[in-house]
Amino acid sequence: MNPHAGRTRFGDFAQQWLATRAVEARTTERTVSMLRTHVLPKWGDWPLGKVDFMSVQEWVTGLGRDLAPATVAKCYQLLSMILKTAVQARLIATNSAEGG
């Protein structure tokens, strides 16, 4: 694994991830909206390698104060999908949003 790989900013990787998805336009619109509204404001500037389990849990708890449980779950799933892809791309060793 490239020692600098984890320095890739989450926001930059999320844009790459989005560009590689083959889904319906409506799904992409919802995903982009959720990214822009709930995910990127927190994680956009974070290096992938710095996203840790406790920070993810705090973020989910914070979202739960303002959002419906189903929306919180979708935000969490979106974060987890992006991090899972980063693991598959060998940018990070583990998905900090897994098993929470």
Side-chain angles (χ1 to χ4, degrees), residues 80-92:
S80 186
M81 277 194 301
I82 295 169
L83 291 175
K84 180 180 179 187
T85 304
V87 170
Q88 291 168 332
R90 299 191 186 285
L91 294 177
I92 51 176

Side-chain angles (χ1 to χ4, degrees), residues 33-90:
S33 173
M34 195 173 299
L35 263 175
R36 190 174 40 241
T37 309
H38 302 299
V39 181
L40 292 179
K42 168 68 178 177
W43 304 110
D45 290 332
W46 284 53
L48 287 168
K50 297 281 187 207
V51 178
D52 64 280
F53 180 78
M54 290 305 293
S55 298
V56 171
Q57 295 309 304
E58 287 171 16
W59 174 68
V60 168
T61 301
L63 289 178
R65 291 188 194 108
D66 301 317
L67 303 172
T71 305
V72 174
K74 286 190 174 109
C75 290
Y76 178 80
Q77 288 166 346
L78 179 57
L79 176 68
S80 186
M81 277 194 301
I82 295 169
L83 291 175
K84 180 180 179 187
T85 304
V87 170
Q88 291 168 332
R90 299 191 186 285

